[in-house]
Amino acid sequence: VEGVTTAGDVVGQVMFYFPSQVFAVPGTVTGHFAIKKDDQVISSIDMTFEVAKDNVLMDIDTTPFLNDWEKFKASLQTEADQIKSNLAGLQTQSQALSDQAAANKQLVEDNAVAKKTDLADYLKTSGDQTLSGKL
């Protein structure tokens, strides 16, 4: 059944008018509303109508309701979790590099590695920058 809608998107509301014959017979009518934009469904919600002789009761099942906004929020959460994971990995690498730099600095301070100034007396360079000399 396709009913008539009136534009109310300015205030976020839409009025839907059912054709008169939809609720002509008592019983249960099940269906859903699909909100479309350019023939693409952007949201939907399941509904049940209990039709009596003198009134119609409507029940909305919000469980399957997942619109584009909810999908967008879920994708943002996924991206944020990935960024947090990447950041944790970078922090671990950064700490490892800091530890290595501190260890290298300590080796230099303990004279455990040869410095360029230590080698200057033993090695000389010729005009083409070739090293010569003996340790």
Side-chain angles (χ1 to χ4, degrees):
V1 172
E2 291 193 17
V4 178
T5 59
T6 58
D9 54 349
V10 175
V11 292
Q13 297 177 342
V14 174
M15 294 277 263
F16 182 84
Y17 297 96
F18 290 95
S20 59
Q21 70 276 16
V22 171
F23 303 115
V25 178
T28 302
V29 177
T30 58
H32 68 275
F33 278 105
I35 299 170
K36 295 180 179 180
K37 181 176 183 180
D38 300 327
D39 291 328
Q40 178 182 358
V41 175
I42 59 172
S43 185
S44 67
I45 192 164
D46 291 337
M47 307 183 90
T48 302
F49 301 93
E50 296 295 330
V51 181
K53 287 183 179 182
D54 57 350
N55 66 14
V56 176
L57 299 176
M58 182 176 67
D59 179 44
I60 300 173
D61 181 9
T62 58
T63 304
F65 181 67
L66 182 65
N67 62 17
D68 283 348
W69 174 246
E70 294 300 323
K71 291 177 186 175
F72 176 69
K73 288 193 318 186
S75 71
L76 284 180
Q77 185 61 52
T78 301
E79 290 294 324
D81 291 345
Q82 184 62 45
I83 289 170
K84 285 180 186 176
S85 175
N86 291 347
L87 185 57
L90 289 173
Q91 287 172 332
T92 300
Q93 288 179 348
S94 174
Q95 186 59 50
L97 289 172
S98 293
D99 293 346
Q100 184 62 49
N104 290 346
K105 181 180 177 187
Q106 190 61 49
L107 288 173
V108 170
E109 290 173 357
D110 293 344
N111 291 319
V113 293
K115 300 177 204 165
K116 183 178 177 183
T117 55
D118 296 332
L119 297 176
D121 295 334
Y122 299 103
L123 298 175
K124 304 289 184 216
T125 57
S126 60
D128 63 356
Q129 300 300 314
T130 303
L131 291 175
S132 63
K134 295 180 181 180
L135 286 177

